[in-house]
Amino acid sequence: SSARCAGVRERAASVTEGPRVTVPQAYRGEALGLPAAGPGSLATTGTRILAFLVDAIASGLVAALFVPHHGGASFADRLPGSWSLIPFAIDYVVGMLVAGRTLGMYLFGLRVVRTTPGVRIDLARALLRTALLCLLVPAAVFDRDGRGLHDRLADTVVVRG
């Protein structure tokens, strides 16, 4: 069949072309069309982590206002636990849709943008990115541009504001 022949041709072409060679980037974010430094350049991992910690702590404090304490004497008994994910998710989704940043990102001069210039982050991408970020695992898997899996799947990047 013609489909089978096409598949054979594609496999043969991939063998004869040899391995793909990638050109090293001069700086992180170059492949995304971002500047090397200054506004719009790729945010550093350390700054992103600090912004995340601010958001996590703020979310825990907000959740603690609403979660009843069960009279435990230890500090751990007073923590809101997983309830803090609710204000965290609200901060991320609303923050990305309204301002392109969360509270922590604002404090550290960061913002989230689409990799396609001039295109805003829509609700579906904000929800996807936030849901994956709440799992933490995608945020620990970085590519050569320093983007976590949650950013790659949502087609976003965190840049300096």
Side-chain angles (χ1 to χ4, degrees):
S1 78
S2 64
R4 184 171 164 220
C5 290
V8 171
R9 280 194 299 268
E10 287 174 14
R11 283 192 297 275
S14 67
V15 170
T16 59
E17 290 173 3
R20 292 186 181 161
V21 177
T22 59
V23 178
Q25 299 184 93
Y27 59 91
R28 286 179 16 165
E30 180 183 28
L32 299 170
L34 301 175
S41 64
L42 191 68
T44 63
T45 303
T47 307
R48 292 178 64 177
I49 290 171
L50 288 174
F52 174 83
L53 289 174
V54 166
D55 291 330
I57 291 169
S59 298
L61 292 173
V62 169
L65 295 173
F66 299 100
V67 175
H69 303 293
H70 299 296
S74 74
F75 179 71
D77 291 331
R78 299 173 192 268
L79 293 177
S82 297
W83 288 105
S84 63
L85 289 176
I86 294 171
F88 181 84
I90 291 169
D91 177 31
Y92 268 76
V93 172
V94 173
M96 277 190 284
L97 294 175
V98 173
R101 56 179 54 170
T102 64
L103 171 66
M105 289 178 192
Y106 173 78
L107 293 175
F108 287 95
L110 306 177
R111 60 190 167 96
V112 180
V113 297
R114 290 278 308 274
T115 57
T116 307
V119 178
R120 292 186 54 91
I121 297 172
D122 57 19
L123 179 61
R125 289 180 195 283
L127 289 171
L128 172 67
R129 186 180 187 280
T130 302
L132 291 172
L133 191 56
C134 286
L135 296 175
L136 282 181
V137 175
V141 179
F142 290 97
D143 65 7
R144 66 182 179 178
D145 287 313
R147 292 193 312 156
L149 186 58
H150 62 293
D151 278 325
R152 290 183 55 90
L153 293 175
D155 192 33
T156 58
V157 63
V158 179
V159 297
R160 293 182 177 110

